[in-house]
Amino acid sequence: MDRNLALELVRVTEAAALVSSQFMGRGDKNGADGAAVEAMRRAFESVKIKGEVVIGEGEIDEAPMLYIGEKVGSQEEGTMEVDIAVDPLDGTELIAKGLPNAIAVIAMGKKGSLLNAPDTYMKKIIVGPKAKGVIDLDKSVEENIIDVSKALGKKTTQMTIMVQDRERHNYIFEVARKLGCKIRMFDAGDVAAGIATCFEETGVDMLMGIGGGPEGVITAAAIKCMGGDMQAQIYPLSDEERERCHQMGYLDSDIEKKLTIDDLAKGDDLFFAATGITEGNLLKGVVNIGGNKARTESVVMRGRTGTIRFVNAIHNLDKNEILIDLMKKYNME
């Protein structure tokens, strides 16, 4: 795929971040999410791809969400057919409360490269490049922590495990504490938490737990671009979620299957882009800097080369047509 698509994807995540940032702390998570979706959809119009959303936020009758099966991009003849996985606002509760680590994210790959995961939960283990090849979802929490610690050359007491703050993860908390690990809890924002494992400056050694399935696929694309590792299993927590899997063609054997990172994101023709919305561990949030201008920070990755770029941009909000139009729509001029 054309390497210039990387910057095009950043423009799309920037649009979603700029618009949704206007809702920070206003308690309106649905308004923020809807605005981010519309901004992303508008920004995609100028990207020269034949894109189809395989990981989205809803079904076709749940507009304005970017629904599974929706066509995005210019759709011009001769342009590449690609899978698109999007989360225009990863962390709706975070933006509503003005909390850290809300981001706008996109993963993209050649057609057929991204797993069409059902909108259910997914069990995950994620590590950075130094621990690639040592994780195994079939092993216990204790075995995985010890194996990763050996790969990193650390004692378990020097390990930091990222775990979502949910009761369903008590089994992880108990084992990690018994081994003396540090635990960094997060409330929301699966994607940002997952990719933190691949940046040494975050201090995060691994992520374990049960989180969103669609977010798992988006995260897998980023982890693969960075040379990290991930294993997952579709993990419905209710009969309703299991039925949703069946409706998408998943058999019970598919649900129980251990998924490697190559099952989640095939090949190396992958791109990942994210823009910070609120201040985070990895990316700074949108900051208004006066003169009706705003600064954004983004990261963009390319699987084929393993290149990771951080993009800092200053936006003139008076000339941003998408922002102007949507602020009028939401009465936030």
Side-chain angles (χ1 to χ4, degrees):
M1 289 193 290
D2 185 352
R3 63 183 181 181
N4 294 321
L5 284 172
L7 189 56
E8 293 295 328
L9 291 185
V10 169
R11 292 190 179 103
V12 177
T13 56
E14 285 175 345
L18 285 167
V19 173
S20 59
S21 69
Q22 306 301 311
F23 290 79
M24 186 171 69
R26 293 174 179 255
D28 184 5
K29 66 177 184 179
N30 292 330
D33 197 30
V37 167
E38 290 190 64
M40 190 168 274
R41 181 179 279 132
R42 286 269 303 270
F44 258 126
E45 292 173 0
S46 62
V47 182
K48 293 185 177 180
I49 53 170
K50 284 186 178 179
E52 180 174 343
V53 176
V54 298
I55 296 290
E57 291 213 321
E59 303 300 329
I60 192 167
D61 59 349
E62 295 176 355
M65 302 307 177
L66 281 155
Y67 57 84
I68 295 171
E70 180 172 351
K71 307 298 183 182
V72 297
S74 65
Q75 297 292 317
E76 296 174 10
E77 287 299 322
T79 53
M80 180 167 287
E81 294 185 69
V82 295
D83 287 346
I84 301 288
V86 298
D87 196 340
L89 175 47
D90 180 38
T92 54
E93 290 282 355
L94 301 178
I95 189 70
K97 297 177 181 178
L99 296 173
N101 291 315
I103 60 174
V105 292
I106 297 171
M108 183 174 75
K110 279 188 175 180
K111 189 173 179 62
S113 61
L114 299 179
L115 179 73
N116 189 357
D119 185 17
T120 62
Y121 283 93
M122 180 181 280
K123 182 180 281 190
K124 313 167 191 175
I125 304 178
I126 305 173
V127 293
K130 291 182 179 179
K132 185 176 177 63
V134 305
I135 55 174
D136 188 343
L137 209 58
D138 290 333
K139 291 185 176 181
S140 68
V141 171
E142 182 170 358
E143 288 173 308
N144 274 296
I145 293 175
I146 290 172
D147 288 347
V148 172
S149 72
K150 290 177 180 177
L152 297 178
K154 292 183 174 183
K155 299 176 181 178
T156 58
T157 54
Q158 297 171 314
M159 294 275 289
T160 298
I161 317 294
M162 183 79 86
V163 187
Q164 192 173 20
D165 186 12
R166 298 290 187 271
E167 284 189 15
R168 62 177 178 266
H169 294 145
N170 285 342
Y171 73 103
I172 299 175
F173 295 137
E174 290 172 5
V175 173
R177 287 167 178 156
K178 184 185 77 171
L179 294 174
C181 301
K182 302 179 184 70
I183 300 172
R184 185 179 298 180
M185 297 187 194
F186 67 100
D187 185 64
D190 284 30
V191 179
I195 64 177
T197 60
C198 289
F199 290 94
E200 290 188 2
E201 58 267 33
T202 67
V204 176
D205 296 304
M206 62 190 301
L207 177 144
M208 304 181 78
I210 301 164
E215 291 87 348
V217 176
I218 296 173
T219 305
I223 298 300
K224 194 164 188 183
C225 287
M226 293 185 286
D229 202 3
M230 177 174 176
Q231 287 194 359
Q233 178 192 357
I234 295 168
Y235 206 79
L237 294 181
S238 65
D239 291 339
E240 181 184 352
E241 286 192 2
R242 184 170 287 271
E243 179 58 29
R244 201 178 305 159
C245 295
H246 292 159
Q247 290 173 358
M248 290 185 65
Y250 281 83
L251 304 174
D252 285 337
S253 58
D254 298 321
I255 296 171
E256 294 162 6
K257 179 184 176 182
K258 178 173 65 178
L259 301 169
T260 68
I261 193 165
D262 292 321
D263 293 320
L264 298 163
K266 298 181 178 68
D268 62 2
D269 262 325
L270 299 166
F271 286 98
F272 173 88
T275 300
I277 302 173
T278 58
E279 193 73 13
N281 298 324
L282 180 63
L283 295 171
K284 295 178 180 177
V286 177
V287 179
N288 290 313
I289 57 175
N292 210 20
K293 293 182 179 181
R295 178 181 285 118
T296 58
E297 184 177 39
S298 306
V299 62
V300 59
M301 310 172 189
R302 187 181 181 212
R304 182 171 290 263
T305 60
T307 303
I308 303 170
R309 288 187 171 90
F310 285 87
V311 180
N312 288 285
I314 295 176
H315 306 265
N316 188 328
L317 304 183
D318 290 329
K319 297 182 179 181
N320 188 312
E321 293 182 2
I322 295 175
L323 179 66
I324 292 169
D325 289 348
L326 292 180
M327 289 304 94
K328 286 180 180 177
K329 177 176 179 177
Y330 288 92
N331 297 315
M332 296 177 67
E333 297 179 82

